[in-house]
Amino acid sequence: MTDTATSTTASLNKFEKFKAEKDGLTVKGEIEKFANLGWEAMDETDRDHRLKWVGVFFRPVTPGKFMMRMRIPNGILTSDQMQVLAEVVQRYGDDGSADITTRQNIQLRGIRIEDLPEIFNKMHAVGLTSIQSGMDNIRNITGDPVAGLDADELFDTRELVQQIQDMLTNKGQGNPEFTNLPRKFNIAITGGRDNSVHAEINDLAFVPAFKEGILGFNILVGGFFSAKRCEAALPLNAWVAPTDVVAVCRAIVEVFRDNGFRANRQKARLMWLIDEWGLDKFRLEVEHRLGKAFLPAAPKDEIDWEKRDHVGVYKQKQPGLNYVGLHIPVGRFYAGDMFEIARLASVYGNGEIRLTVEQNVIIPNIPDSRLATFLTEPLLERFAINPGLLTRSLVSCTGAQFCNFALIETKNRALATIQALESELILTRPVRIHWTGCPNSCGQPQVADIGLMGTKTRKNGKTLEGVDIYMGGKVGKDAHLGTCVTKGIPCEDLQPVLQDLLIQHFGAKLKAEALVTH
Ligand code: SRM
Ligand code: SF4
């Protein structure tokens, strides 16, 4: 029997059951009550699951200290907003920190439930929302990080991304139409030529393409990573004009909401529905919701560049202005750093701050006349504009420090490993190394040159933290996913293995050998 949205209650998984009992968004009206009750006395399903509908995540690894996942559409925020986020984590002292995520977003750590009413008030006052950012909702919508700045861009994604978020979340107030999807759902729009958002790994992505001289988008559907299966998105053979993008998002999400599988959670992502129906039936169903037929896809899309990382100083399309990409090691920063970034953005730029899916920060709109002084700011010693060639492209998921799915520690280990490798090797090109603490693949090892996925492995009769190694991920033009090439390398033995891979495949040389040769 097919697993459909019409399954009986008996066949629903436990998540569907608790959603049917009480919609997750209900907790929005109960924050005061929870704050008064405290985390230990709260209903466990509200605490562990439903709070994620307002972006608040119970962390079994640090009980009582919650994580808060924001929504930062297109990864763009203001210095006022960054300052508020800094104030929130500052009050938690050593427990307070923040991470830039692989979806151009920010997560805050150390949050206490009793502070939530005040935190939400402060956030709303500066136009920030964390609504619908976890569980069976649509995640942060990604867009080109240099939208509106890049002289070569085809489409400025900012407004469309905001419009999609406003539609899906009722302008950040919460939209019950889209708070009970079968599973999570990812949307990306790319407007530049380098596919800076990893379009191919999203459930729904729009890539720029000309149709009879008009710029619009070809649509990709069904991309996703999960512990069970990873797939690149498929072309829907559909082209849309920018004016139809919001309506297409609504139609596709509605089709997923009403038909996606709800019995087996491992098979609840959009691709499983597309498998069952085939692309033609899926497209017809979307057209039916949309009330019109799609034009066939444009024969070619406009993704024809290698992917840029935006770290460093770059001229904007506006004469006399520059954007500067700061490298934030594994995306982790603290209150002091966040205040400083906010200050730099308002003193040197126009108060705008941008985030990338590589977990870095861009400060745009710095005039030529102020650039030299900006580059002497002490913060740039830690958040470099010209980091080492391995450090530069390092990405890491949260890992065991805060995530209970993690099989290994990631962020600190990733940094230590990269520093050791850079001290031993001479590199001639950046190598994109991505760490992820478990097969859920939040750190996207399949898009990396070298992807490291946490696992448990055995050595001398002992169970140790280890990694499966992925290679061959290609980003930008002709993006495709990497695959697993080696399994179960103990983390303690990893460094020489990586050294060897860098020498064999990426042109690295041992410093010691280079000295002898010269
Ligand atoms: Fe993720 C679950 C962190 C991007 C696939 N992810 C989780 C949880 C919520 C698990 C948990 O409750 O502990 C992690 C929170 C840990 C923490 O305390 O930070 C978590 N995911 C992250 C972040 C923070 C990784 C990072 O360090 O950047 C990213 C947050 C993005 C955001 O701002 O919303 C993050 N997660 C991703 C991505 C990458 C992407 O979207 O490009 C993926 C793979 C792409 C995809 O989803 O198709 C991803 N996360 C998952 C999955 C597997 C989904 C599935 O269909 O099975 C899970 C597990 C789940 O949902 O059941 C998961
Ligand atoms: Fe946690 Fe695994 Fe995601 Fe890393 S990949 S954040 S360990 S769920």
Side-chain angles (χ1 to χ4, degrees):
M1 194 186 86
T2 310
D3 169 3
T4 69
T6 51
S7 312
T8 59
T9 317
S11 67
L12 294 180
N13 65 60
K14 72 164 185 171
F15 295 88
E16 290 301 326
K17 284 186 185 148
F18 80 66
K19 288 191 292 178
E21 278 163 31
K22 172 179 168 186
D23 187 80
L25 197 59
T26 317
V27 299
K28 187 174 172 250
E30 298 179 296
I31 299 299
E32 287 279 357
K33 183 178 92 187
F34 298 152
N36 290 331
L37 273 174
W39 70 272
E40 282 163 305
M42 274 179 70
D43 171 80
E44 273 187 29
T45 311
D46 285 344
R47 184 191 69 192
D48 299 358
H49 301 296
R50 292 196 191 96
L51 267 181
K52 293 178 185 165
W53 268 258
V54 291
V56 177
F57 289 59
F58 179 69
R59 300 291 72 200
V61 182
T62 57
K65 297 167 198 163
F66 289 74
M67 180 270 277
M68 191 166 197
R69 180 184 284 168
M70 308 306 300
R71 300 193 76 91
I72 312 282
N74 211 124
I76 302 181
L77 71 166
T78 65
S79 52
D80 288 352
Q81 292 174 332
M82 182 64 99
Q83 207 160 330
V84 164
L85 298 178
E87 284 164 17
V88 171
V89 293
Q90 186 182 38
R91 77 164 78 180
Y92 301 117
D94 288 347
D95 291 335
S97 64
D99 290 319
I100 303 173
T101 77
T102 51
R103 292 200 69 79
Q104 255 183 342
N105 194 8
I106 293 188
Q107 293 187 167
L108 309 177
R109 303 204 180 270
I111 310 290
R112 309 289 160 100
I113 208 94
E114 53 273 25
D115 300 330
L116 282 182
E118 192 194 329
I119 292 175
F120 281 127
N121 285 339
K122 285 178 87 164
M123 287 182 172
H124 294 159
V126 291
L128 278 170
T129 181
S130 58
I131 202 92
Q132 294 167 226
S133 61
M135 276 297 290
D136 297 348
N137 286 293
I138 294 152
R139 296 290 183 272
N140 195 46
I141 299 160
T142 55
D144 216 292
V146 288
L149 311 174
D150 175 11
D152 293 298
E153 90 180 339
L154 293 150
F155 189 86
D156 180 344
T157 55
R158 291 175 293 178
E159 210 177 303
L160 265 189
V161 170
Q162 185 68 53
Q163 285 172 4
I164 298 167
Q165 166 161 315
D166 287 347
M167 180 268 291
L168 294 168
T169 67
N170 183 23
K171 299 200 165 154
Q173 296 301 305
N175 184 353
E177 280 183 282
F178 300 115
T179 51
N180 185 357
L181 304 180
R183 202 71 164 87
K184 74 189 288 195
F185 194 89
N186 291 329
I187 302 178
I189 310 186
T190 178
R193 296 183 173 277
D194 70 336
N195 184 13
S196 57
V197 291
H198 302 309
E200 70 285 0
I201 66 172
N202 284 265
D203 296 273
L204 169 59
F206 297 88
V207 292
F210 285 99
K211 183 110 190 163
E212 286 151 21
I214 299 169
L215 180 64
F217 299 95
N218 281 346
I219 302 176
L220 305 178
V221 286
F224 79 116
F225 297 159
S226 74
K228 189 180 164 81
R229 179 179 174 199
C230 295
E231 295 290 349
L234 302 170
L236 184 62
N237 187 17
W239 179 92
V240 270
T243 43
D244 282 342
V245 166
V246 178
V248 167
C249 284
R250 169 178 271 279
I252 289 183
V253 176
E254 282 181 1
V255 168
F256 175 56
R257 177 193 66 196
D258 298 343
N259 301 280
F261 302 152
R262 290 178 186 257
N264 179 354
R265 236 172 130 71
Q266 295 297 328
K267 296 191 173 179
R269 297 290 293 270
L270 179 66
M271 185 62 103
W272 294 94
L273 177 65
I274 294 173
D275 284 347
E276 174 84 11
W277 280 4
L279 270 173
D280 290 340
K281 176 173 173 188
F282 178 74
R283 191 189 315 100
L284 271 176
E285 198 59 39
V286 175
E287 288 174 337
H288 177 65
R289 296 275 172 152
L290 198 57
K292 63 176 170 186
F294 282 118
L295 291 174
K300 112 179 211 323
D301 66 39
E302 298 300 318
I303 304 295
D304 50 12
W305 283 10
E306 292 308 313
K307 191 171 185 316
R308 297 166 294 176
D309 64 12
H310 307 297
V311 175
V313 180
Y314 300 90
K315 290 268 168 232
Q316 289 180 202
K317 71 173 166 195
Q318 297 80 6
L321 293 181
N322 306 275
Y323 68 85
V324 180
L326 308 186
H327 178 259
I328 314 290
V330 289
R332 167 82 33 97
F333 50 18
Y334 298 88
D337 306 324
M338 296 160 81
F339 282 122
E340 235 351 58
I341 290 170
R343 185 185 72 79
L344 296 186
S346 17
V347 169
Y348 293 94
N350 65 341
E352 196 175 297
I353 297 160
R354 298 183 178 210
L355 311 171
T356 71
V357 297
E358 285 85 16
Q359 305 175 316
N360 294 320
V361 159
I362 296 171
I363 301 185
N365 298 313
I366 304 180
D368 288 342
S369 58
R370 315 236 38 217
L371 188 59
T373 325
F374 175 82
L375 297 177
T376 63
E377 284 285 348
L379 191 72
L380 274 61
E381 282 161 31
R382 274 200 315 119
F383 296 158
I385 58 159
N386 193 15
L389 289 174
L390 295 181
T391 306
R392 181 178 186 112
S393 312
L394 185 63
V395 168
S396 173
C397 84
T398 306
Q401 188 182 2
F402 297 112
C403 180
N404 61 307
F405 285 115
L407 299 171
I408 63 168
E409 203 288 313
T410 51
K411 285 199 189 257
N412 291 324
R413 178 177 271 143
L415 279 172
T417 310
I418 261 25
Q419 276 155 13
L421 288 166
E422 281 182 348
S423 72
E424 292 161 351
L425 293 171
I426 296 172
L427 293 134
T428 51
R429 49 160 285 195
V431 181
R432 296 173 306 101
I433 301 183
H434 285 219
W435 286 73
T436 208
C438 80
N440 283 327
S441 298
C442 305
Q444 309 155 327
Q446 302 85 349
V447 306
D449 291 320
I450 302 178
L452 303 167
M453 181 187 286
T455 185
K456 294 288 183 211
T457 191
R458 302 278 297 168
K459 182 178 162 188
N460 301 332
K462 279 201 198 130
T463 302
L464 297 175
E465 295 199 350
V467 289
D468 294 340
I469 301 183
Y470 282 67
M471 286 186 72
K474 166 91 177 65
V475 293
K477 178 180 159 64
D478 302 327
H480 59 81
L481 303 183
T483 49
C484 183
V485 292
T486 315
K487 279 186 167 282
I489 306 289
C491 289
E492 60 185 35
D493 300 336
L494 183 60
Q495 201 168 307
V497 176
L498 288 178
Q499 191 183 83
D500 203 43
L501 288 178
L502 290 165
I503 293 170
Q504 299 300 325
H505 299 274
F506 301 96
K509 287 203 169 60
L510 276 174
K511 279 187 181 164
E513 272 177 20
L515 277 178
V516 173
T517 336
H518 292 98

